[in-house]
């Protein structure tokens, strides 16, 4: 039986972490290990984990770890990597702190890995936003796709008639084969992904694709997503739009190069759509066009700088990546850093 580790990256949401832990405890099979990586400036989440351990004791998880992340705000990839350095599972799942797993979640993930070969690098599932209607008109062919024009689709709340291969997954509900993350060296954390966090998880799937690794969407593995308040500002505000374009440009340039057609097709399409929107409205739409354009410019400059430093290799070789690779390549055992 494959061992399952779950990493929860969190910031200022102790009540959500409590709900996450309760939902994971009800799973059958139960994850052997849960790692809470906390970027909060206070001790509330630490207190939640300690109380959970006191309440459940030996009836809880085999290994429950609280790990502080002192890297500060806007550093989800850093938290994910800290979780990887502690993970002992054959499969390492990652859920957002405001995503709560439903019955059968763990079983469906593990079944997918057990029935596929080592070329299957990652498995993810549906993310249903609490209080929002569930779409019924989404074609399964459009779930989690990278298109030649640089467009990326989500639709991770959509159902499908069965498990389907996709290009990427949503960070709120994804999992990885241990060996796959060891091969690529974990998540990039040499850039801040900003208030949006957009593309921080997508980037690793671009690298998987370059290596010919497969990604599977399992619609029966469901989380309920609360969409808790952001650390700064509101979802989808102007800052969000700036960081989205910035991060997308960086991701594309450093993985495909500045001359790649996929980059310039995407810039042209995005600019045309933004200009069309601005032409129909005034004020906010015009401001949005400027903000989005600034995001592209900044992202191109930063992407070129990263490309110059590290090239387009999908396999990371910086000291942290080497440390992650070494740790994930070791035989699995219960972490010696429990409750560090």
């Amino acid at each position: 039986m494959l061992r399952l580790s779950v990493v929860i990256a969190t910031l200022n949401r102790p009540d959500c972490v409590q709900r996450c832990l309760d939902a994971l405890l009800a799973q059958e099979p139960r994850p052997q290990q849960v790692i809470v990586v906390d970027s909060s400036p206070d001790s509330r989440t630490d207190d939640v984990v300690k109380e959970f351990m006191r309440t459940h004791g030996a009836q809880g998880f085999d290994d429950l770890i609280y790990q502080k992340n002192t890297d500060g705000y806007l550093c989800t990839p850093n938290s994910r990597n800290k979780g990887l350095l502690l993970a002992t599972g054959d499969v390492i799942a990652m859920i957002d702190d405001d995503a709560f797993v439903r019955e059968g979640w763990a079983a469906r993930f593990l079944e997918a890995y057990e029935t596929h070969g080592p070329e299957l690098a990652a498995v993810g599932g549906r993310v249903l936003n609490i209080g929002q209607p569930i779409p019924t008109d989404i074609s399964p062919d459009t779930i989690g796709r990278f298109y030649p024009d640089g467009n990326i689709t989500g639709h991770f709340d959509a159902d499908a008639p069965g498990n389907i291969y996709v290009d990427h997954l949503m960070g709120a509900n994804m999992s990885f084969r241990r060996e796959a993350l060891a091969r690529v060296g974990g998540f990039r954390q040499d850039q801040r992904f900003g208030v949006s966090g957009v593309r921080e998880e997508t980037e690793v799937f671009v690298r998987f694709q370059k290596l010919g690794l497969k990604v599977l969407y399992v619609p029966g593995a469901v989380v309920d997503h609360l969409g808790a308040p952001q650390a700064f500002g509101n979802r989808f505000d102007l800052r969000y739009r700036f960081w989205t374009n910035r991060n997308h440009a960086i991701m594309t340039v450093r993985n495909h190069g500045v001359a790649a057609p996929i980059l310039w097709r995407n810039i042209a399409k995005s600019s045309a759509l933004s200009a069309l929107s601005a032409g129909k409205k005034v004020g906010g739409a015009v401001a949005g066009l400027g903000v989005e354009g600034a995001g592209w410019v900044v992202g191109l400059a930063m992407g070129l700088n990263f490309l110059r430093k590290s090239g387009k290799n999908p396999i990371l070789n910086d000291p942290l990546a080497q440390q992650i690779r070494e740790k994930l390549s070791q035989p699995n055992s219960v972490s010696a850093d429990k409750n560090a």
Side-chain angles (χ1 to χ4, degrees):
M1 183 70 178
L2 295 175
R3 287 178 54 88
L4 175 62
S5 295
V6 181
V7 177
I8 305 170
T10 186
L11 170 64
N12 291 337
R13 293 173 179 169
D15 293 341
C16 288
V17 170
Q18 176 69 62
R19 188 170 171 181
C20 272
L21 293 174
D22 290 339
L24 288 168
L25 190 65
Q27 288 294 296
E28 182 59 45
R30 185 179 297 170
Q32 283 81 10
Q33 182 189 48
V34 176
I35 305 163
V36 178
V37 186
D38 180 24
S39 300
S40 308
D42 55 42
S43 65
R44 292 178 299 157
T45 301
D46 188 13
D47 294 340
V48 165
V49 175
K50 288 177 178 175
E51 178 61 21
F52 188 92
M53 288 190 289
R54 188 192 69 79
T55 301
H56 296 283
Q59 303 304 313
F61 308 106
D62 293 348
D63 195 21
L64 176 59
I65 298 173
Y66 173 86
Q67 176 66 47
K68 193 73 173 179
N69 183 359
T70 58
D71 292 334
Y73 292 103
L74 314 179
C75 57
T76 303
N78 310 45
S79 291
R80 298 194 196 281
N81 283 334
K82 289 182 186 297
L84 295 184
L85 291 171
L86 295 169
T88 60
D90 306 290
V91 174
I92 303 170
M94 298 187 178
I95 57 175
D96 284 357
D97 55 5
D98 57 352
F100 317 118
V101 299
R102 287 191 182 182
E103 181 181 355
W105 172 83
R108 287 181 172 89
F109 272 4
L110 294 176
E111 179 185 17
Y113 287 104
E114 288 169 346
T115 55
H116 290 73
E119 74 281 356
L120 181 63
V123 178
R126 295 180 76 187
V127 180
L128 299 182
N129 293 306
I130 296 172
Q132 296 186 20
I134 299 174
T136 58
D137 58 348
I138 300 297
S139 169
D141 293 338
T142 66
I143 298 172
R145 296 299 180 192
F146 296 149
Y147 288 111
D149 64 359
N151 187 37
I152 294 179
T153 62
H155 302 319
F156 294 114
D157 52 356
D159 200 358
N163 300 346
I164 57 173
Y165 287 110
V166 295
D167 297 321
H168 72 112
L169 300 167
M170 187 172 179
N173 187 17
M174 61 184 183
S175 68
F176 302 89
R177 197 181 294 275
R178 181 185 186 89
E179 293 83 0
L181 286 174
R183 182 177 178 185
V184 299
F187 296 84
R188 291 195 194 272
Q189 65 173 60
D190 56 357
Q191 71 182 71
R192 292 279 176 161
F193 285 84
V195 296
S196 71
V198 170
R199 304 295 182 259
E200 60 89 4
E201 77 269 36
T202 312
E203 199 276 341
V204 75
F205 295 104
V206 176
R207 292 189 279 133
F208 282 166
Q209 189 177 64
K210 293 180 72 174
L211 293 171
L213 298 175
K214 294 182 178 180
V215 179
L216 192 69
Y217 178 70
V218 178
V222 182
V223 302
D224 291 306
H225 184 230
L226 182 61
Q230 301 291 283
F232 300 100
N234 299 314
R235 293 178 187 269
F236 312 121
D237 57 15
L238 285 178
R239 291 179 303 174
Y240 183 98
R241 293 161 67 180
F242 168 84
W243 285 95
T244 295
N245 282 4
R246 169 196 178 271
N247 294 349
H248 191 91
I250 292 172
M251 180 185 74
T252 307
V253 170
R254 72 187 310 182
N255 284 290
H256 298 288
V258 71
I262 190 173
L263 171 66
W264 297 103
R265 288 177 193 144
N266 195 227
I267 291 175
K269 182 175 181 179
S270 176
S271 299
L273 290 174
S274 296
L276 180 62
S277 175
K280 293 179 178 179
K281 303 176 183 178
V282 294
V286 175
L289 178 61
V291 166
E292 291 173 3
W296 280 116
V297 171
V298 173
L300 286 170
M302 294 185 68
L304 278 169
N305 187 46
F306 285 124
L307 186 65
R308 178 183 60 82
K309 290 180 178 179
S310 56
K312 295 186 287 185
N313 191 349
I315 297 175
L316 307 184
N317 287 302
D318 58 87
L320 175 62
Q322 294 174 12
Q323 184 182 5
I324 290 171
R325 186 171 296 112
E326 179 181 358
K327 174 63 176 68
L328 294 181
S329 298
Q330 295 174 358
N332 299 354
S333 61
V334 176
S335 172
D337 300 308
K338 185 176 181 179
N339 306 327

